[in-house]
């Protein structure tokens, strides 16, 4: 049995509630995958910026 802990994105409190933060009702995320997806998004946005630059160069 694995217990997963979640973190509120509003107040940054940790909770075992999988749906929402018990103290502020904010959205909770699983800390590890959240960090991973942020890194992924950053990569993606820098990639998009690169594409945009290339498009500007060629047109
Ligand atoms: Zn909260």
């Amino acid at each position: 049995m694995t217990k997963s802990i979640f973190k509120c994105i509003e107040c940054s409190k940790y909770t075992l509630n999988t749906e929402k933060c018990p103290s502020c009702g904010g959205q909770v995320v699983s800390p590890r995958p959240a960090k991973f997806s942020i890194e992924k998004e950053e990569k993606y946005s820098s990639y998009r910026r690169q594409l945009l630059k290339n498009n500007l160069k060629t047109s």
Side-chain angles (χ1 to χ4, degrees), residues 26-45:
Q27 194 190 342
V28 293
V29 292
S30 195
R32 269 204 217 160
K35 196 187 167 213
F36 182 72
S37 82
I38 285 168
E39 274 168 16
K40 228 172 135 189
E41 243 167 66
E42 240 155 61
K43 257 186 204 169
Y44 180 68
S45 67

Side-chain angles (χ1 to χ4, degrees), residues 8-13 21-28:
C8 175
I9 59 168
E10 303 289 336
C11 67
S12 298
K13 277 186 184 168
C21 174
S23 55
C24 76
Q27 194 190 342
V28 293

Side-chain angles (χ1 to χ4, degrees), residues 34-59:
K35 196 187 167 213
F36 182 72
S37 82
I38 285 168
E39 274 168 16
K40 228 172 135 189
E41 243 167 66
E42 240 155 61
K43 257 186 204 169
Y44 180 68
S45 67
S46 70
Y47 173 70
R48 279 195 66 177
R49 240 174 275 144
Q50 197 73 39
L51 270 183
L52 211 67
K53 256 190 202 172
N54 287 346
N55 280 351
L56 286 176
K57 261 184 214 166
T58 50
S59 59

